[in-house]
Amino acid sequence: MSFVILVPLLPLLAALMVLVGDEGTRRQRAKMAVYPIGGAFLGAIATLWWVATQGPITLRFYDPASPATLAFPIGFYIDRLSAVMMVLISGVGTIIYTYSIGYMYQDPHDRRYLALIGFTTSVLLCMVSSANLMMLFLFWQVLSYMLYLLAHNHAHAATLDGAFRTFTLLRVGDVAFLSGTVLAYQLYGTFEFQALFAKAAETPVMLSPWPSFEISGPTAVTLLLFIGGMSKSAQFPLHFWLPRSLYAPTPVHALLHAGIINAGGFLINRLAPLYGLSSTTLHVAFVVGTLTAILGATMMLAQNDIKKTLGFSTIGQMGYMIMECGLGAFSLAVFHLIAHGLFKATVFLNCGNVIHKARQDPESPHADPREEEKEFSSLTWSTGFATTLLIPLLILLVTHGVLRIPLLESQGTVIFLFFIWITSSQAILTLTRLRAIASWKVSSAMLLTLLFVVFVYLFAVESFTAFLYPNPAEVASYFQAAALPNWLFDSMVVMATILTVVSWGYLYMRAHGHGRTMWIPGWVEGLRVRLYVVFMNRLYMDELYQALGRAVMRVVHRIDKRNARWSE
């Protein structure tokens, strides 16, 4: 099965085809380079079929028992997780490269740009198929450098500043990742994934960084690696590099938001057996992911720029993905990763067309007066309320009472049902208009949305989980490791229910044209305005970053002056 090496090498070949040659054949070479990248996509599909039917593929160009592994740790381990990621990356990479040929046609540096797209796709494919932790770190590090180069227009001051901030902040995550890698080797003596998992499970290790404080070896390693994942996947408070990188060409963001930023979710799934040994790290991931999801979605609503809106939407979705990992639903996180990657790549590619049209037509987008809704539809509102609250409650009672599924004894089952409910409620609340002339059509759309979400999540629960993690005991162990205290878990479900009820009530009371109003105290309205300004300014994280940088530079200058006096 050595042909799998061609999958990451073909995009590299495409990059070389673009770079090598004279200026006269540049366009022809750029178009021909589509075929190697497309070939990588076909090879990834073939690899996925082989792995699904024959088992994982292992290729090593080193001896795991030799110290030389540290110098040349290049090898490939492709299981179902790696194969799925390879199909996603190569497929999205093919579309983005093909789109970029026309999009960057008049750019004077399009040759460099297209070569970077091919090289980045190759790096991503090598990273997700890495045979050991050291190789994973090396390509993780290269990917950080690629994000700086992909900013492309370094002659533009804002672009250069954003690229530098991205590079600087990702160094924090890379240092933590390297520290976790070194600590893992020191504790367990290997970089090989399977051997690392086995030794971590067989030999419990306790560390004492300072007196009267102990931490388990798996917790220390996974926390450090998680910080690396936080930086790459833009988790709060390491998220503010992403909005600053939005000056890059739009296809770059399609690749970034569809592939690169998913690295944190892939990392946790790649090391799932190690993360399953640390409930502490999973709880930290849950808290960080939840906070990121809430803040990212809130900041998204306060932006007035289309790319920033999409960028903060991605931050919120990445928080959602990390939160799923923190709950032990690793397969659900991968499913979310794939769905978001395909969706966001499409949206960002279309975003370029929208921006171009808005520049040509200052009155775009146009408001169609025919779309103005004249009356409030009680039928539509009642359908939405029942669809998001009463029907899921009925399903829950039937599942627990009639089918005898022990929901109260299994947080894992409740988690999947909870995500089904909260996702369908969010979709219906945000995508459905309460006032419509043909209200029965909107009501039907609500019911179809619920059925579609239920079907998709049931597929994720049954088929996709069984595909990625065929051992049910392994899946159960992850949920057990991530289990929250019952009072906290129940409080979360109750709070989400209350928020959904309040949301529907708010929409009903604030709807125009039906004679109802909603009284809001003055201090609440003032607080809402202040919070809007704070979220519109992205929590002032950029200003805090600059103040921290100035403080560090003052300390450095003082140390330099003191050393200069001592040397005299």
Side-chain angles (χ1 to χ4, degrees), residues 279-359:
S279 297
T280 302
T281 304
L282 291 178
H283 293 161
V284 170
F286 170 72
V287 172
V288 171
T290 303
L291 189 60
T292 304
I294 295 173
L295 293 177
T298 308
M299 287 186 283
M300 174 198 71
L301 296 174
Q303 302 305 308
N304 56 6
D305 179 89
I306 183 172
K307 294 182 78 172
K308 288 183 179 179
T309 299
L310 294 177
F312 281 105
S313 169
T314 297
I315 292 175
Q317 291 299 315
M318 290 301 99
Y320 208 46
M321 176 188 68
I322 296 298
M323 179 178 66
E324 290 164 347
C325 291
L327 290 171
F330 294 140
S331 58
L332 183 60
V334 177
F335 188 81
H336 189 169
L337 179 156
I338 295 170
H340 174 263
L342 295 175
F343 165 74
K344 196 54 66 74
T346 305
V347 171
F348 259 105
L349 291 181
N350 189 56
C351 172
N353 295 330
V354 174
I355 294 174
H356 181 67
K357 182 178 179 181
R359 287 172 176 171

Side-chain angles (χ1 to χ4, degrees), residues 96 99-100 103-104 113 117 248-256 348-349:
I96 291 172
Y99 181 89
S100 298
Y103 186 86
M104 302 293 290
Y113 169 83
I117 292 292
T250 300
V252 168
H253 294 294
L255 182 61
L256 169 62
F348 259 105
L349 291 181

